[in-house]
Structures are given as C-alpha cells and as structure tokens.
Amino acid sequence: MNFKKKLSDILFLDIETVPQKENWEKLSSKEKELFSQKTQYQRKDEITPEDFYERAGIWAEFGKIICISVGFFTGLEENKKFRVKSFFGDDEHKILSEFKELLASHFSKNQHVLCAHNGKEFDFPFIARRMIIHQIVLPKKLNLFGKKPWEVPHLDTLELWKFGDYKHYTSLKLLTHVLGVPSPKDDIDGSEVAKVYYQENNIERIVTYCEKDTIAVAQILLKMNNEKLLEDKNIIKV
C-alpha cells in the first residue's frame, strides 16, 4: 500500500462492550420502551425487543465498555516490539479516564492517530459517546467537531481494505484469514462476551480476547504494507 505513517505514531485499539443491565427484566419500563423504539428497524417482525436485548451492547445508549485494549510499536525495524496494555473492569468511568490519560500523556501530538478495525463506525464513536454520558471531557483525538475528513486522526483497517468500495464489509476474522494473520477468534467471539462477563464473571478471558483483536489489527496493517508480521517474542504485555 506504500503506507507512509510511522508505526510508532499509531495507537491500535479494540473495545469490548456488554449490555448495561444483565437482562431484560432489570430494565425500567421506560428503558424497555426506548430500547424497543431504538431497535425496531434492526429487528425482524417476529423478534421481540426482549429477545433482541442480548445485542444491546452494540449501542452506546444501552451498552457499556468493560475493556479497552491498546497496542503500540516501539524500537527500530530489527528490534521492533509491540506493547499491549488493557484497561478493564466493572467501573466504566475508571476505564475511560485511564484511557484518556494514556492519550494525553503519550498520544496527543498532531502526528498521532488511533487505529481499529471498523473503528470509525464502532469503537471511536462508542468511546466518545460513553465519555459524554460520564461527563468526561473528550480528548482531542476523539473530539471531531468541526474537523474535515482529512483532519480526523483515525485509521480504520476495514476502510483501508475497502479501497473506496463503501458497500463492502469484511470482518476481522475473515480479513485475518485471507491475509494469513494468526486468528484472534480462537476462544470466544463478540456474541459471547456478555455471557462470559455476566454469567462466568471471567473478565480475564475477555481481556485476552480484546488484546488478541488489538494485535490482529496491527498485524493486518503490517501485512497491508508488505512488512513482516510480529512474532510472539516481540509482543509484550504491560
């Protein structure tokens, strides 16, 4: 692709989200009404809002973030390392605040950009909306008001793969397969995260899954730029 951006200027990330309430019964009557209205165009006629509630985590109005995993490159070509860090737990305000602090301290300069797969449609706006709900002032990298498209400091591996074909969608799982990148989907997938969180209470399993997705996004960008993939020995969890 002849990609010119310095790898060390990119913060790769992935988020995991779940419904704010464990099940439909825990919603207030007003919340049930609003969720029904919000999802009426996504649901088929025979699917009730209650049956559809398991997908509530994909909407910032009804979901919450339980993990943000980030990764960044350090070192020169032959000594290139990829460091991975996660912010996770039950306290979403804490997760978002710690992520914002990382942006402020290490990724706030003009040359810095955020990168995720389908990040422009999901991860970045979801984080921004949840920050506003928690009354956290948006960091510069997420405050897009008044910016022109070429001024937005975001990369999206899905968008890069589209090559201008805006009707095209390719999942992270499919893209890693066709590019020969180690699959991050060797344990759970996104549809199982809420169950693992609420029923199994296994946040560590979710963190591992989120970190694998973050690593996969970085590997995809390397592959797109005809660079060598990362080896396990070069991936460091911090």
Side-chain angles (χ1 to χ4, degrees):
M1 287 183 64
N2 197 26
F3 185 73
K4 297 297 185 182
K5 193 73 182 174
K6 285 177 60 178
L7 289 175
S8 57
D9 287 338
I10 304 171
L11 183 69
F12 298 86
L13 67 89
D14 183 63
I15 67 174
E16 297 304 328
T17 66
V18 296
Q20 290 173 31
K21 306 286 179 63
E22 181 177 358
N23 52 53
W24 177 257
E25 288 71 26
K26 293 187 177 182
L27 296 181
S28 68
S29 57
K30 185 64 175 179
E31 289 170 333
K32 290 178 179 178
E33 176 189 353
L34 291 170
F35 182 77
S36 177
Q37 293 171 353
K38 174 75 175 180
T39 62
Q40 62 181 323
Y41 296 111
Q42 286 80 23
R43 289 184 284 112
K44 296 181 180 179
D45 292 339
E46 67 274 14
I47 299 177
T48 66
E50 180 176 358
D51 291 336
F52 207 65
Y53 184 69
E54 63 182 16
R55 299 185 60 190
I58 68 174
W59 290 285
E61 299 87 354
F62 298 97
K64 67 175 183 175
I65 296 170
I66 57 170
C67 183
I68 302 177
S69 292
V70 301
F72 50 93
F73 285 96
T74 61
L76 300 175
E77 286 306 312
E78 295 304 317
N79 297 307
K80 189 161 48 187
K81 306 291 184 186
F82 189 71
R83 298 181 179 273
V84 183
K85 180 178 179 62
S86 293
F87 309 99
F88 61 92
D90 302 319
D91 187 342
E92 187 183 36
H93 189 283
K94 183 172 182 287
I95 293 170
L96 294 170
S97 297
E98 290 178 347
F99 173 68
K100 179 183 176 180
E101 184 178 333
L102 173 75
L103 292 181
S105 58
H106 297 291
F107 285 90
S108 63
K109 295 181 180 178
N110 289 337
Q111 70 266 28
H112 291 142
V113 297
L114 309 181
C115 181
H117 189 77
N118 200 29
K120 290 187 177 182
E121 289 287 329
F122 183 69
D123 304 73
F124 307 142
F126 199 109
I127 293 171
R129 289 167 185 151
R130 294 306 299 171
M131 281 185 170
I132 289 172
I133 288 170
H134 283 284
Q135 294 190 300
I136 298 172
V137 177
L138 290 179
K140 185 169 66 172
K141 297 300 178 186
L142 291 173
N143 190 351
L144 308 184
F145 180 75
K147 283 189 169 63
K148 298 177 176 61
W150 56 88
E151 296 174 329
V152 175
H154 298 163
L155 284 174
D156 189 326
T157 48
L158 173 59
E159 184 178 75
L160 293 174
W161 185 248
K162 286 181 176 182
F163 287 95
D165 179 6
Y166 292 106
K167 64 183 181 298
H168 187 88
Y169 177 83
T170 303
S171 68
L172 184 65
K173 183 177 182 179
L174 174 57
L175 193 51
T176 55
H177 174 74
V178 300
L179 294 179
V181 170
S183 174
K185 313 296 185 183
D186 56 0
D187 179 23
I188 59 176
D189 62 35
S191 66
E192 300 171 286
V193 169
K195 176 185 174 184
V196 173
Y197 178 73
Y198 281 116
Q199 298 180 27
E200 298 180 15
N201 296 311
N202 193 344
I203 190 69
E204 290 79 14
R205 189 178 176 195
I206 296 169
V207 171
T208 298
Y209 167 67
C210 195
E211 289 181 346
K212 287 180 177 179
D213 275 2
T214 303
I215 294 166
V217 174
Q219 297 278 47
I220 286 171
L221 198 65
L222 289 174
K223 190 78 172 186
M224 285 181 169
N225 207 38
N226 294 317
E227 297 189 39
K228 287 175 58 177
L229 294 179
L230 290 163
E231 298 180 25
D232 289 343
K233 66 181 181 180
N234 298 118
I235 301 172
I236 302 168
K237 296 185 180 180
V238 296

